Structure formats: structure tokens, C-alpha cells
């Protein structure tokens, strides 16, 4: 991701949490509107979004702290759970 985009995302994440109002150094973009095309703030040289794509995706989100993001995701019932790891075969 370009340095300018990275600074822009850091600036966006510096606000208050939409749910609890706490100010912390980290914010999550909670996708709340329309189809999610990509994860904001992730990607590599091959999948880097354009400024327009980035702005459009950000407009579909609300900024929340990590704790509130987990609560929101759990309330929606879409929290990803990793598969159980076991040394025993599943049969």
C-alpha cells in the first residue's frame, strides 16, 4: 500500500469509537452497507485498491474500536471460528 494511503487510513482511524466513544490508537472499519469488495488496510502490490475504490469502500463502513467490532460481529452471528486442531483423526 502506498505511503499516502497508509497515512490516510491512520488519520481515519484516529477518531472516537462510534459505539462506546472511547479514543484509542486503533480503529476498525466495520462494514455495514452493501457488498464488501475487499478488506480496508490490507492488500499487497497485486491487489492494491485505487483511491476511488478505497473511498467507496470506506463509505460503507463505520469506525469502531476492536472490542466493539467483535461485539457487533458476534451480534450479527458472523464471527469466524477457526477449525478445531487435534492430533486425532476425525473418524
Amino acid at each position: 500500500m502506498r505511503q499516502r494511503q497508509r497515512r490516510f487510513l491512520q488519520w481515519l482511524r484516529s477518531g472516537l469509537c462510534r459505539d462506546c466513544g472511547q479514543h484509542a490508537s486503533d480503529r476498525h472499519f466495520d462494514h455495514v452497507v452493501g457488498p464488501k469488495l475487499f478488506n480496508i488496510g490490507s492488500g499487497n502490490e497485486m491487489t492494491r485498491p485505487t483511491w476511488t475504490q478505497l473511498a467507496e469502500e470506506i463509505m460503507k463502513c463505520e469506525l469502531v474500536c476492536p472490542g466493539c467490532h467483535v461485539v457487533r460481529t458476534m451480534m450479527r452471528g458472523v464471527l469466524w471460528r477457526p477449525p478445531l486442531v487435534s492430533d486425532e483423526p476425525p473418524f
Side-chain angles (χ1 to χ4, degrees):
M1 186 180 297
R2 291 181 207 151
Q3 183 65 23
R4 206 165 61 181
Q5 284 178 314
R6 192 179 320 266
R7 283 194 313 246
F8 177 66
L9 290 176
Q10 288 172 347
W11 174 78
L12 281 175
R13 289 181 174 153
S14 66
L16 300 177
C17 173
R18 179 133 180 143
D19 291 350
C20 70
Q22 295 295 317
H23 185 29
S25 61
D26 190 24
R27 290 283 163 265
H28 287 194
F29 290 96
D30 184 27
H31 189 91
V32 294
V33 178
K36 183 175 183 176
L37 302 178
F38 57 88
N39 289 324
I40 297 171
S42 64
N44 56 41
E45 291 296 318
M46 300 299 289
T47 61
R48 184 183 335 166
T50 65
W51 277 98
T52 302
Q53 291 169 327
L54 184 62
E56 288 172 356
E57 201 64 26
I58 287 172
M59 295 302 293
K60 301 176 190 177
C61 300
E62 292 178 345
L63 283 176
V64 292
C65 69
C68 288
H69 194 201
V70 169
V71 170
R72 283 177 168 216
T73 304
M74 287 175 59
M75 296 293 284
R76 288 187 206 118
V78 294
L79 188 62
W80 179 81
R81 293 186 181 153
L84 295 175
V85 176
S86 174
D87 294 329
E88 298 291 325
F91 46 87

